[in-house]
Amino acid sequence: MKNCIEVNNLSKSYGNRVVVNNLNLAVKKGEVFGLLGPNGAGKSTTIDCILGLKSFESGSVRVLGMDPTKERKQLFERVGVQLQSSSYQGNIRVGEVCEEIAALYRLPSDYRDLLSQFKLDQYLKQPVAKLSGGEKQKLSVLLALIPQPEVLFLDELTTGLDTEARREVWQVLSDLKEKGLTLFLTSHYMDEVEVLCDRVCIINRGHVLVTDTVPKLIQKSPYKRLEEAYLWVMKEEIAI
Amino acid sequence: MKKFFTLLKIEGKLSLRCVDSIFFGVCMPVGIMILIGLIAGQNPATSDGGYTLIQSSFGALVTVGICATAFMGIPLTIADYRDKKILKHFFVTPVSPTMLLWVHAVINMLLSVVSALLIYLVAKTFFGYEMIGSKLAFIGSYLLVMVSMYSLGLLIASLCRTVKTANVVCSIVYFPMLFLSGATIPFEIFPQPLQAVAGFLPLTQGIKLLKSSSLGLETSLLLPLFVLVGSLVIGISLSMRFFRWE
């Protein structure tokens, strides 16, 4: 199987502080990959480097075989991105932000269908600012799906969502996975990671601690659930 | 091109929803024009002989729209979009965030042109205004003043890291430009020392240029042209040097 995302020896620092340290990862086509770690572990910086939003000192990044900085326009026709804590133009309406994003792509999906899938269709004419936190979060995931992406990046996809809304988002993503979507996500919710992810990579202070499938990771630990296994990995690292 | 027009349509709607840009850019200068017309009407201007006050203020009043868009509209929108990471988000789409900046440049240009046209129509219909100088020269001067002021607005957006500082700097720049450059209060009635100080404002020179071309005066325009082109070059080059997308 072909690798959709390839990161080799990625290093990035802000001044003296090393944020990403010699990071390696590869995500296959159709795989759901979770990048996990505590706050400040370097997850968002890693995503920014992969997407070409931040420059880095050394290493290489390939997404769909392309260099994100050099082949930005071709690449982002095929890649959807939800950035952490997105916000929108003041007094823009839900339908308008969808229309605006859809206009940027050659073959966008019908945002009305997506709005009804996410149960946001009744808000079409409402100002985005009037939506609840959870609805805004759903909207940001929805916008990332507008390009009909082959690869989707979601940074903290369900932060602020209620249980029901989380299930809706999971359902939409699982359906897309069936159709072959490759998904790269970060999350602090291990139940979500257990449901969605095939493989995870746990990082702390820019270092990769472990990369494995979810069942194998649990198996290696003395526990039965990912949350405990995750905490165990973090603790082991501190002991080292 | 379709992308550009869709963005223009949506972002334009958003701009129209902000009442302040319409008020300061369009309603206020038209209001001042009506006020001057009602007060002074066909009275001669204070210093330069042979013109009515309306003829002498026309070149100044059309810059109020430029002033509002250049020192409020453009820098505040850019600072706000940067703060909200909207510009950053355009980097992960097939469209460059530069397109969003161009969209806003066009929206603001349209707004100032509408403001200038309304002032002209009001002055012509109600107060019998006729431009003495060449219209073409006037339009050329107007465009030069506009791009030059916009480059300074872009510079503010580049140098201010946050919306808060942009707000403060915009107010500090906007109000003196509005009141001291002669855009609203005729420059000629200022006391001499204030005129000397206000002469340093780029917009003062822009208004001199517009005034001369609207009145068809044969004065030397070297200084205004030099200041305007200088502001344009400095504004653009420093913005390119210091601009941050996030």
Side-chain angles (χ1 to χ4, degrees):
Chain A
M1 276 233 271
K2 210 177 80 185
N3 284 334
C4 262
I5 306 168
E6 256 185 24
V7 178
N8 292 313
N9 309 324
L10 179 74
S11 290
K12 161 89 189 164
S13 42
Y14 295 123
N16 285 329
R17 199 163 62 91
V18 180
V19 192
V20 181
N21 196 339
N22 207 21
L23 186 117
N24 287 287
L25 55 87
V27 181
K28 293 187 197 75
K29 191 175 173 353
E31 196 172 36
V32 178
F33 189 89
L35 186 64
L36 314 180
N39 291 324
K43 301 187 296 295
S44 292
T45 306
T46 304
I47 289 197
D48 281 357
C49 290
I50 295 176
L51 296 174
L53 287 168
K54 287 202 171 97
S55 60
F56 41 87
E57 283 86 57
S58 59
S60 68
V61 168
R62 281 264 178 276
V63 180
L64 292 169
M66 289 184 253
D67 181 327
T69 46
K70 291 196 185 104
E71 291 151 286
R72 192 173 68 81
K73 290 192 181 190
Q74 294 93 301
L75 179 63
F76 287 108
E77 285 285 354
R78 298 160 64 190
V79 174
V81 180
Q82 177 239 338
L83 295 170
Q84 203 181 317
S85 56
S86 324
S87 40
Y88 309 93
Q89 291 92 322
N91 63 44
I92 197 167
R93 300 195 177 128
V94 172
E96 288 166 344
V97 72
C98 292
E99 190 188 348
E100 183 164 295
I101 298 294
L104 308 180
Y105 297 93
R106 227 177 290 151
L107 295 168
S109 56
D110 187 347
Y111 61 82
R112 284 161 210 275
D113 289 349
L114 287 171
L115 283 170
S116 61
Q117 273 185 63
F118 280 85
K119 300 201 170 78
L120 289 172
D121 40 348
Q122 73 267 34
Y123 302 124
L124 191 69
K125 294 220 183 307
Q126 270 208 25
V128 176
K130 292 263 167 69
L131 297 180
S132 72
E135 286 157 352
K136 267 188 216 156
Q137 184 69 16
K138 275 206 289 189
L139 181 65
S140 73
V141 176
L142 182 153
L143 293 176
L145 290 171
I146 283 181
Q148 300 198 291
E150 292 165 49
V151 182
L152 181 61
F153 286 86
L154 301 174
D155 197 354
E156 300 201 359
L157 66 159
T158 60
T159 301
L161 290 188
D162 61 35
T163 316
E164 209 185 330
R166 246 149 55 98
R167 296 286 161 120
E168 281 162 30
V169 172
W170 293 356
Q171 191 54 52
V172 175
L173 295 177
S174 306
D175 291 350
L176 286 167
K177 189 190 164 193
E178 295 288 306
K179 291 179 191 155
L181 174 80
T182 308
L183 187 58
F184 188 104
L185 59 87
T186 76
S187 174
H188 288 300
Y189 303 114
M190 294 306 147
D191 53 342
E192 173 167 282
V193 174
E194 246 177 307
V195 172
L196 291 173
C197 292
D198 300 312
R199 273 194 319 136
V200 295
C201 170
I202 302 178
I203 64 172
N204 195 14
R205 285 173 282 161
H207 284 277
V208 174
L209 303 179
V210 60
T211 309
D212 218 331
T213 63
V214 174
K216 276 196 186 144
L217 188 73
I218 298 174
Q219 219 172 48
K220 274 188 205 163
S221 80
Y223 301 100
K224 286 202 176 65
R225 295 199 45 230
L226 183 64
E227 187 150 279
E228 276 89 18
Y230 166 80
L231 291 170
W232 175 76
V233 170
M234 296 303 303
K235 215 164 154 192
E236 290 288 289
E237 196 254 346
I238 291 159
I240 300 163
Chain B
M1 243 9 215
K2 197 178 148 269
K3 295 175 180 181
F4 186 85
F5 285 112
T6 310
L7 286 184
L8 188 66
K9 184 187 86 185
I10 295 171
E11 297 290 328
K13 269 198 241 172
L14 298 183
S15 302
L16 290 182
R17 264 176 223 158
C18 291
V19 200
D20 45 352
S21 59
I22 309 293
F23 179 78
F24 286 110
V26 181
C27 301
M28 194 172 77
V30 173
I32 297 174
M33 172 48 84
I34 295 174
L35 212 60
I36 292 182
L38 291 176
I39 298 169
Q42 300 301 320
N43 293 357
T46 40
S47 56
D48 29 22
Y51 317 113
T52 64
L53 191 62
I54 289 216
Q55 278 173 328
S56 122
S57 346
F58 180 78
L61 275 177
V62 293
T63 63
V64 177
I66 295 181
C67 209
T69 48
F71 303 117
M72 288 290 196
I74 290 178
L76 292 182
T77 308
I78 295 176
D80 181 45
Y81 282 17
R82 175 170 51 205
D83 207 51
K84 288 182 173 158
K85 298 189 179 170
I86 294 168
L87 295 177
K88 180 184 174 185
H89 195 264
F90 269 70
F91 271 114
V92 291
T93 72
V95 168
S96 155
T98 323
M99 187 187 267
L100 198 58
L101 298 189
W102 277 113
V103 164
H104 278 278
V106 170
I107 290 172
N108 283 292
M109 279 182 190
L110 289 174
L111 202 66
S112 11
V113 169
V114 164
S115 156
L117 283 176
L118 272 177
I119 292 170
Y120 179 70
L121 285 177
V122 166
K124 195 175 162 66
T125 344
F126 299 110
F127 305 107
Y129 171 72
E130 272 317 322
M131 193 177 286
I132 302 165
S134 134
K135 283 194 175 125
L136 212 62
F138 184 80
I139 292 171
S141 315
Y142 180 82
L143 291 177
L144 175 64
V145 174
M146 179 153 72
V147 290
S148 166
M149 295 304 122
Y150 282 10
S151 77
L152 294 180
L154 190 62
L155 181 62
I156 297 177
S158 307
L159 294 178
C160 297
R161 300 281 140 161
T162 64
V163 182
K164 266 190 184 165
T165 46
N167 251 317
V168 173
V169 173
C170 283
S171 303
I172 292 175
V173 175
Y174 173 73
F175 288 105
M177 287 272 202
L178 195 64
F179 294 119
L180 298 181
S181 64
T184 47
I185 306 164
F187 188 74
E188 294 76 20
I189 65 172
F190 289 158
Q192 207 62 46
L194 190 59
Q195 280 195 8
V197 176
F200 283 101
L201 295 173
L203 190 60
T204 310
Q205 301 302 329
I207 288 171
K208 275 193 185 149
L209 183 67
L210 284 168
K211 209 164 181 173
S212 311
S213 52
S214 77
L215 295 173
L217 297 178
E218 299 285 323
T219 47
S220 163
L221 296 173
L222 231 65
L223 181 67
L225 281 172
F226 179 75
V227 170
L228 289 174
V229 174
S231 314
L232 181 65
V233 172
I234 291 172
I236 295 285
S237 50
L238 286 181
S239 307
M240 279 165 74
R241 167 77 182 71
F242 290 107
F243 195 81
R244 295 280 174 275
W245 294 107
E246 58 163 324

